Amino acid sequence: MAMAAYSNQAQAMMRDYLLADPLVPYTSVLIGVFLCKMAYDLTRILSSFYFKGYSSLTKIQRVEWNNRGMSSAHAIFIAAVSVYLVASTDLFSDRLNGPITFRSSIISTSALGVSVGYFITDLAMIFWLFPSLGGMEYVLHHTLSLVAIAYTMLSGEGQFYTYMILISETTTPEINMRWFLDTAGLKKSSAYLINGILIFVVWLVARIFLFLYVFYHIYLHYSQIMKMHAFGYYLTLTVPSVLFVMNAMWFMKILKGVMKTLSKWS
């Protein structure tokens, strides 16, 4: 009886406080930070057991190794949620009445909160160990992402475009795997070559073609975007453009790397 009473109280607290609409964003951000800590520690524990060379890495290499495990976990989560909300639900469907720019749900807002928690955690680590985990381009990328995601989480505006951009996180596990293989001394392996080709294909689809579609969608729905608050309006026009330029610059480096690797293998 006592356990049942405690269970009912816990469920009531979860429903009335943690999952209450005004608190969903803040609760999900805290959950995101907590999950990042779990993913970081789990990467460290599993790597020490299953990768013999982990203990021989330098301290900063182990930190980056764990950090990349954390970022891969976030990327898989948010990319899966993004594809689900955009492609498998009617939340952002043009078949529904009303502007697409003002649609949101508890699920969509909560997932964005988890992502905000990740970007806060990762950005804090980048600043703490700067520039070991990334230079100013990473700071710019993460800051833009954090501001845009936090705004759309709190306001409910432009969540469709935020999730379309977050689908591009599908490239993160491949990028991290390339670093893992390089650090593990497997740069000349067939897995490294296959991973490089996969990065090229996924990057082209998720960070070039997808962004071009986003720009086309913005053009078609510009009248709805104009109804957003000024800050959301400028974020919708500015953030995808800046990220696309960065994606294009990184894509040229990826292309050169793939061509160089293929020439060596041939």
Side-chain angles (χ1 to χ4, degrees), residues 35-184:
L35 291 177
C36 283
K37 172 62 175 173
M38 285 185 59
Y40 184 95
D41 290 340
L42 188 60
T43 301
R44 174 178 53 82
I45 294 171
L46 292 178
S47 298
S48 62
F49 272 104
Y50 294 104
F51 176 49
K52 295 180 180 179
Y54 180 79
S55 59
S56 63
L57 298 176
T58 64
K59 181 179 179 180
I60 191 61
Q61 282 180 321
R62 290 196 298 271
V63 170
E64 184 168 1
W65 183 287
N66 302 335
N67 177 271
R68 287 180 180 271
M70 178 185 76
S71 69
S72 295
H74 164 262
I76 293 171
F77 164 77
I78 200 62
V81 172
S82 299
V83 172
Y84 168 73
L85 290 174
V86 170
S88 299
T89 71
D90 290 329
L91 180 61
F92 303 116
S93 173
D94 283 329
R95 294 191 299 269
L96 299 181
N97 295 325
I100 197 173
T101 50
F102 294 98
R103 297 182 195 168
S104 63
S105 67
I106 290 181
I107 293 177
S108 65
T109 300
S110 298
L112 290 176
V114 172
S115 194
V116 168
Y118 161 74
F119 279 107
I120 290 174
T121 303
D122 202 35
L123 196 58
M125 292 188 68
I126 290 174
F127 279 126
W128 183 261
L129 299 170
F130 190 84
S132 299
L133 296 182
M136 288 306 301
E137 69 275 13
Y138 283 90
V139 173
L140 176 61
H141 175 274
H142 277 40
T143 301
L144 281 174
S145 300
L146 177 59
V147 171
I149 296 172
Y151 175 80
T152 193
M153 173 192 69
L154 293 171
S155 68
E157 293 184 353
Q159 289 196 3
F160 170 77
Y161 295 111
T162 302
Y163 275 113
M164 288 294 292
I165 298 301
L166 284 171
I167 292 176
S168 65
E169 284 296 308
T170 51
T171 61
T172 299
E174 292 84 4
I175 294 293
N176 288 337
M177 180 57 67
R178 189 170 185 81
W179 186 90
F180 287 140
L181 292 171
D182 189 6
T183 304

Side-chain angles (χ1 to χ4, degrees), residues 185-227:
L186 299 173
K187 195 170 183 178
K188 296 183 179 180
S189 66
S190 57
Y192 192 82
L193 174 62
I194 294 172
N195 177 260
I197 296 173
L198 186 61
I199 289 174
F200 172 80
V201 173
V202 177
W203 195 283
L204 180 63
V205 173
R207 290 188 180 264
I208 302 298
F209 291 157
L210 181 62
F211 273 70
L212 293 177
Y213 173 77
V214 169
F215 296 141
Y216 177 67
H217 195 281
I218 289 174
Y219 169 75
L220 292 180
H221 297 77
Y222 185 71
S223 60
Q224 298 182 15
I225 295 172
M226 289 182 64
K227 298 178 181 178

